[in-house]
Structures are given as C-alpha cells and as structure tokens.
Amino acid sequence: MTAISKHFQPDSALAQALPGFSPRPAQTEMAEAIATTLKTKGQLVVEAETGTGKTYAYLVPILLSKGSAMISTGTKALQEQLFHRDLPALRDALAPHKQVTLLKGRSNYLCIHRLQQNSAHAAELSKTVQKQLVEVKRWSLRTEDGDVAGLAQLPEDAEVLPHVTSTVDNCLGRDCPVYEDCYLVKARKRALEADIVVVNHHLFFADMALKDVGFGELIPTADALVFDEAHQLPDIASQYFGEAIGSRQLQELAQEAKVLYLTEVKDLRQLDKAADKLLTSLRDWRLVFPADPQRGNWRQFQQQDNVIEAARLVTESLEFFRDVMKTAIGRNQDLDACYERCVEFIHTWHWLQQTERTGYSFWYETTPRHVVLHQTPLQVADKFGGFVAKSDASWIFTSATLAINEDFKHFTRLLGIQQAQTLCLPSPFAFAEQGMLCVPRFLPQPHQREMLDALLDITTQVLDANPNGGTFVLFTSHRMLQLVAERLAHVTDRPLFVQGTVNKRELLADFIAAGNAVLLGTASFWEGVDVRGQALTCVIIDKLPFGAPDDPLLQARIEDCRLRGADPFSQVQLPPAIIALKQGAGRLIRDRSDRGVLIVCDQRIVTRPYGKLFVGSLPPLKRTRDLQQALEFLRTINGEATA
C-alpha cells in the first residue's frame, strides 16, 4: 500500500472526516498519479468521469505535499464550494497547520475609495443605483473581507457594483488614499502567506497576462498548480491573450471625468464638454451596428463607409478628451489616472482598427447599448506551453470531459503541453442500469422547420411519462429556446423555468425545490450544474452542439486550419462539440442512486460517420431508437419513486 492510498481506506482519517465516504479505486489511482507528478515536477492530464471523486483525489496529495499550491476552478461557484465545503474538513483531518485562502478577481471586492467617491455625488446617479448604494454602505460597515458575494440583498448584476468596485484601469494602486485598508490588497497579502490558494481560471489568466507584459503578479508563485474543469482553459486563455475595447469602458471613463469636473476641478469646463463629445460619439458608434445583440466579423464590417466615419468620430473625440486632461496633469490623482487610462484606450482602439494582421480573429459583439471590439489569437499553444515549460512547478489538469474516445491529443495540442502524462478514469456508476440513451427515429433534420414541432412533441410526451421527476431541455441556441418556451407554456401546467428570467442560481434552486419542473437552458446549463435524485430524471438535448457557423472566431480558426493544410472539421469543429455533448449528458447521472433518460434529438449521431465519436464519448447508457421504450423506462422510475 502506498503512502497516498492508505488515506483512501475505509478506516482512514479521510473516511472519518467525510460522512458517507467509501473507497473508489479510480479515485485512489488518480491521487497516486498526482502524488507522483508532484514529486517529479511533471505535467499530468486526468479525465475523471462523474462519480470518481476527483476533488478529493487532488486535494489529499496537495495537502500532504510540502510545497505551496494553487487550485484553479472554472467557475466562482465551484471555487467557493471548494474553499468553504471541501477543503476545511480535509485540511483539519490531514494538514491542520496549512494556511488556505480564497482569492478572487478585483471586481469581487468592495473598493472603499470608489464607494466614498460615488457616495459624495450620489445625486448624479440613477434612483436605482442610489438605493443600492445605501445597502452597500450599510454592508460595508460589517463586512470583514469586502467580498461583494456577501451582498445577498442585491442581485448578482446589481447596477451599483461597477460604482463600488475597481478595475485594472481605474485602480489608483499605491496612490489610493485608502490603500492600507483595501480589501483586495489584504486578500493578496493573505494569498502570499498561504500554503494553498483557491482561484478561478479567469483570475489565473488575468495574472498570467500581467506577467507577460511585465507588471506585478496577483497570484503568488506556486510549487504546484491544479486546474479543475480544465476543459475550459483553451477558450479562456484565448480571451486573455487577446485585446478588447468596448464602448462601456469608454463611457465609464467619460462619466468619471464629468464627476471629477463637478467635484474636484470645477474650473475645467472644457473637460465636461470633452466628456459629452465622447459620449455622443459612442452613442452614434453603437447606432451603426445592428440593433439586435450579435457577434460579427469586424474585419469585414469595418469596411463600410458609415462605420469608417463613426470610428473616425470616436477617434477624434477620444484624442480631444485626452488633450484636455493633459492640460490638468498633476492637479488631481483621479484625473491623472483617467488620463493614463485614456492614453491606453487610444492605443488599443487604434490597434483594433488595424485588422490586416494575421494569426488573429477580429470580431465584434453587441448588447442593446454597447459594442466591444476583440482581437483573439487563433492559437495559444506556444504562449501557454512555453509558460508551462519554463516553470519549475507541477501542473495538473483535470475534468470529467477532456478526452475524445480516451484520446487527449485535442486538449494537449491546444495548450501546447504534448509532453504531459495522461490518465483516463472511468466512472464507478452502473450507467447501463441507471440510465438510457435514446435517439428517436424519424426526426427531421436539425435545420428543418418541422424540428420545432418534433421537439415540442417529444418534450410533452416526456412530461406525461415523467410526472414526478424533473426535466432539463438543453438548447444550442437562444432562438430555439424562446420558441419552445413560448409554445410549451400553453400546453403544460408543470412549473416552467426559462434561462434569462432570473439569475442562474435562483432558477436552479426553484427548479430543484419544485421537484417535477421543466427547465429550458442554453450554454451555461450544459455544465457545472449538479441536480441529484428525482428532481432531474430526464435530459433532452435539441441537437449536436456544433459552433454557430457564422461565429467570427470559429470562422477564423477554420480558415487558419485550412492554411496549415489540416482538416478544419476534424480539428476545429468536431472536438469541442463532442466535449460539449459530454458535458450536457453529464447533467443526468450525478449519484449512484440516480436514474434517468438522455434524449438526443439529432439524427446525425446515428446517420453520419462522426456520430460514432459522439456516442463513444458518452457514458455507456443502455441505448434505444424507440422513444416509447425510453418513455416506459421513465414511467418505471416514476412508479418506483411513488411506491
């Protein structure tokens, strides 16, 4: 028995600390592989299917190792679960001397200076923000860590939050008058002193991008780095290795300058005029884009005459704004910081007008009020792989969905870690007994108009057969979700929850509480959602989750793949679709006692040669093409639930 494996025995300290713990061979194997990687300073990629217990499999060797560690998660929700629920009991049992801390991005911490600044001119803010500001001030008197997640009385997307948190752009750093009391500074200090720091992928890459351009580090140097939900890394890395600038950033800058004119530099009337001119040009800039929110190819779109003219006016107003602020340098710290941000924004703005450069996708995205321009690198392997190669740390990447038919080449190639050891661990669940996969016969093709009626018919039949259980209907597009939601509301009296009506956490809590509800969701519900028991006994997926063909980033990656002489479908389009389907299917069976039906409403999984790759990557559920057989299985589950 190895030094690690003894901690996973029925009589171990781990078993005593965790009620209901039972040894799992795959979990022990994963923990042993990680312990070896920590000793050799190597790289390890592990796919651990649902039920393996991968969280404890990496926490035990990390807690028992001598060095410092950083654990990065894909979401803030998992980050908090890890820190508040999983780590405390294990640490107390195995390594009570170790210091563990949680570190989030700066936008999660109250900025005392901005709270004071905005409180001083609250009359300039909307009535909603004024009311929310009062709540923030009350909370600020009792918070210990300044984490705005503690503002339970406000919605997650409260309008006041940008007014009371900072960004890299508007933070004054050591020049801030309340620097010593800064919650972010205190959180960083705790991270530097801790043995284990729990972060998320966005924070990790934000820090990595800062290191790349020579600024200070947010995350301390660690001896070991563990990435949970590692399948998200390639896309998140692309975001942080690129450039972006949006009208919201520029509007906030102009609004801050107007506040400074009213409070600090009242004689600088020209500043107010320059800010108004910038705000006007940004509103006109938004109007040249389509009204409906969308993504588009910026390289093509920018060639239109009206777009060229609108961009010229933004450039002109930005430079005028900068020149006005330059005349007042040295008069006020906040104004000096605004000037520096403006100079940086102008540089990025000019850079994103130069779209002739290769190796990048240039694209825009719009919301009802704003536009963001993006420059995204088509490959991050060289940069990330180089970073890993130069490091003296151990690197561990894990997720339930990394391999395609037990092959990790797609993941390791994207991140440039092709020398990494790999390990694929099966789930302990008895999938063939617990669940069924159904691809109904005689369905229309996904793009055909008849598909809406077919999907609605399947959903209503499922609800009839599943009266005591909950149902997820997962979509690849918001449009189809809305069409089904509208029709379904008229044909069922079951509780119906639709993504976008309230925040995700509340929607999920209400769905679970209802017990037999229907939830319609898109991308964010395909992963990171854990509903156990009778509350979720059927998952319906509308079609195979290939990327939208008009997505500019996907188009650019396809073109880049062609230029390299490779096959875009097999290298660019197919792998992420397989991973996404694995994620969606993974919502169904979350526990040894779970039972349910997965229905994939896309004939291509059966009729196209690549369908075998999709099926081969799914859990080994019992399979059928007969919808009635799947419905009968659901009735059996419901009958057992009421027995």
Side-chain angles (χ1 to χ4, degrees), residues 245 247 281-304 306-308 310-311 314 349 353 363-374:
I245 190 164
S247 57
S281 69
L282 290 170
R283 283 192 290 269
D284 292 343
W285 162 247
R286 174 62 185 91
L287 291 173
V288 301
F289 290 83
D292 293 333
Q294 63 174 239
R295 286 183 169 192
N297 186 316
W298 172 233
R299 189 179 267 137
Q300 293 176 359
F301 192 80
Q302 73 165 172
Q303 296 173 11
Q304 301 173 55
N306 62 332
V307 178
I308 292 170
V314 172
W349 173 263
Q353 308 303 315
W363 54 286
Y364 67 83
E365 60 180 335
T366 63
T367 66
R369 294 185 179 182
H370 296 287
V371 184
V372 184
L373 301 183
H374 294 269

Side-chain angles (χ1 to χ4, degrees), residues 416-464:
I417 52 170
Q418 300 188 53
Q419 302 304 311
Q421 298 293 309
T422 60
L423 182 62
C424 200
L425 299 170
S427 171
F429 297 159
F431 283 111
E433 299 170 16
Q434 291 180 248
M436 180 178 287
L437 166 64
C438 177
V439 182
R441 291 190 181 95
F442 314 121
L443 285 175
Q445 291 300 316
H447 63 275
Q448 291 181 313
R449 187 176 297 175
E450 295 80 9
M451 192 63 215
L452 173 60
D453 290 331
L455 191 58
L456 192 69
D457 178 57
I458 289 170
T459 303
T460 52
Q461 288 191 63
V462 163
L463 296 183
D464 289 341

Side-chain angles (χ1 to χ4, degrees), residues 209-355:
L210 285 175
K211 290 176 188 175
D212 191 51
V213 296
F215 287 100
E217 297 177 10
L218 181 61
I219 299 168
T221 303
D223 297 307
L225 299 100
V226 179
F227 296 89
D228 201 343
E229 297 178 318
H231 63 280
Q232 299 178 7
L233 290 177
D235 283 341
I236 295 175
S238 293
Q239 295 175 33
Y240 284 93
F241 294 158
E243 298 270 5
I245 190 164
S247 57
R248 181 189 294 274
Q249 290 169 281
L250 301 176
Q251 284 185 0
E252 287 176 355
L253 179 64
Q255 294 290 0
E256 285 178 39
K258 288 177 71 65
V259 169
L260 288 172
Y261 162 67
L262 291 169
T263 56
E264 303 291 341
V265 285
K266 298 179 181 179
D267 60 322
L268 196 60
R269 173 68 176 156
Q270 194 77 341
L271 178 63
D272 192 46
K273 290 182 178 179
D276 283 337
K277 182 179 180 182
L278 177 56
L279 290 170
T280 300
S281 69
L282 290 170
R283 283 192 290 269
D284 292 343
W285 162 247
R286 174 62 185 91
L287 291 173
V288 301
F289 290 83
D292 293 333
Q294 63 174 239
R295 286 183 169 192
N297 186 316
W298 172 233
R299 189 179 267 137
Q300 293 176 359
F301 192 80
Q302 73 165 172
Q303 296 173 11
Q304 301 173 55
D305 290 342
N306 62 332
V307 178
I308 292 170
E309 176 60 17
R312 186 190 66 78
L313 292 173
V314 172
T315 303
E316 183 183 283
S317 59
L318 258 177
E319 292 177 345
F320 176 58
F321 185 56
R322 174 202 61 197
D323 293 343
V324 170
M325 285 192 289
K326 190 174 182 179
T327 64
I329 286 178
R331 289 185 56 184
N332 177 272
Q333 282 185 336
D334 289 307
L335 189 60
D336 289 353
C338 284
Y339 171 75
E340 290 172 7
R341 285 161 61 197
C342 186
V343 170
E344 186 60 34
F345 286 158
I346 289 172
H347 171 76
T348 306
W349 173 263
H350 283 305
W351 191 236
L352 289 176
Q353 308 303 315
Q354 301 167 30
T355 59

